[in-house]
Amino acid sequence: MAATAAVAPAPRIGLVRHVGLGLYWLGTYFVVTPVYTILLQVQISQAVASHDTQNLVTGIATGIGGFLAMVIPPLVGHYSDRLHSRWGRRKPILVAGTLGIVLCLVFLRLAGSLPAIVVGFALVVAAINVASAAYVAVIPDTVHDAETGRASGFLGLFVQAGSVLSLITLLLMSKQHQLLNTYWILIAVLILTLIPSLWAMANVEEKRPAARVPLDLRKFLAPLWTGDFGWATFTRFLNTSAFYTTLPFLLFAFRDLLRVPDPANFTAVFELLVTATAIPFAILCGWLSDRYGRKIFVYVSGAISSLVLLFFMFGPSISPTVMLLFGVLYGIGYGTYTAVDWALCLDTLPDKANPAKDLGLFHVADALPRVGIPLLAGVVLFFFNQVQPLLGYRAIFLMAVVLYIAATVFVSRIRSVR
């Protein structure tokens, strides 16, 4: 077994390269946001008439995708850390994964039956996670330790920008009654954002040695429950669980509980406001966290997000205008958290020379909630609505509040990060 060579800290990089590195994140979320939150639900609603069945199938589909998103990144990241090729250890996987995403989006667009929609969605999620498993490791490969907050802020910026631009596109296509043809635009944007990110990754991977150690499953998984990295991962798990308790069912909640007109368009506008508001806060709070610490931004985010969801539990007594204003407030909380999400991970990485596997494990904290939480929330929603109409929606909003509060408590256990 060859020992891993010591690796010097990455040099500081300029603004243009920061932007180049982050652009593929924009392309990824230009795909993820509309597929997860609008297009999947629209296609399911076209394939099955019963509202309760729509809720249940959405939970099942999202849960299947979440299982794939939990398993794929650590394994692909482990392989990426060990890959030797003339193009480095990240680019081949990133390019192959992107090609897979394109092919799977075509399949999902053409899917007409309920089984085909569920399978197509699962394939899209799988391909996205293959590409992302290699892509996320580029940041610790490239960025100086003193700039992790700034890099995390840029990642947050491009996550929100991708979501905003995709939702605007979705609204425009909906007005033209071409909603499902949004898939072709998603494909084009994904490919266009890949190119500058490949340029910004030039000569990065070759500078860092790939690890060459036998796979020991216990050691492979140990960072999930040990040290500050374990607490950072658990904090992310709680925040993501809160997010996915309501997100897959938001369109249905606006339609049934809050009784908004044209719920598909209203959901797109609401999410647009959330993400547009989050953009400046992601950049600002990421930069500030390099100076003032990360934890305070998790505390603020949890408090704001909990407040908004508690108000939504009151149901149709809230006007659509007030709901959109709450969307702006929720965007502040969301942007504040995404600014430091990756920074907490990068600050606590167990092996910064070979980060892809541990970043894949960190991604489990994002993917595992997609496995269990939408399925659990879908079941809660279904059965509580049988007990009393609309009670299920209030129950899942309350679940999300409890999870946000728990995240603000447990982030304090991270000792090495302010």
Side-chain angles (χ1 to χ4, degrees), residues 91-101 130-131:
K91 289 179 187 176
I93 299 173
L94 178 57
V95 172
T98 302
L99 177 60
I101 296 169
V130 168

Side-chain angles (χ1 to χ4, degrees), residues 78-94:
H78 180 75
Y79 173 74
S80 177
D81 281 337
R82 289 156 173 72
L83 179 63
H84 288 281
S85 81
R86 61 183 296 185
W87 300 284
R89 55 179 178 164
R90 313 297 184 204
K91 289 179 187 176
I93 299 173
L94 178 57

Side-chain angles (χ1 to χ4, degrees), residues 268-413:
V269 171
F270 179 87
E271 293 179 2
L272 179 61
L273 283 173
V274 169
T275 49
T277 305
I279 288 174
F281 282 89
I283 285 290
L284 176 62
C285 295
W287 176 71
L288 289 174
S289 74
D290 280 334
R291 298 188 175 190
Y292 302 110
R294 320 290 189 202
K295 295 178 185 176
I296 182 63
F297 298 99
V298 180
Y299 301 148
V300 170
S301 172
I304 293 174
S305 300
S306 298
L307 177 65
V308 171
L309 295 181
L310 285 171
F311 273 102
F312 278 178
M313 289 175 61
F314 291 109
S317 60
I318 304 174
S319 71
T321 301
V322 172
M323 279 188 275
L324 292 178
L325 291 176
F326 278 125
V328 173
L329 186 60
Y330 194 83
I332 294 173
Y334 183 49
T336 300
Y337 177 72
T338 58
V340 298
D341 178 27
W342 279 102
L344 284 170
C345 169
L346 298 175
D347 288 343
T348 58
L349 275 173
D351 183 0
K352 295 188 178 182
N354 300 289
K357 185 269 288 184
D358 291 326
L359 286 167
L361 291 177
F362 185 69
H363 185 69
V364 170
D366 181 74
L368 182 57
R370 300 186 195 188
V371 177
I373 295 299
L375 182 57
L376 174 62
V379 171
V380 168
L381 187 58
F382 179 83
F383 284 104
F384 274 75
N385 278 346
Q386 305 307 305
V387 174
Q388 179 181 323
L390 306 180
L391 182 62
Y393 293 107
R394 294 186 171 92
I396 62 173
F397 281 131
L398 183 59
M399 284 172 59
V401 169
V402 171
L403 289 165
Y404 275 127
I405 293 172
T408 64
V409 172
F410 284 106
V411 76
S412 64
R413 299 300 299 271

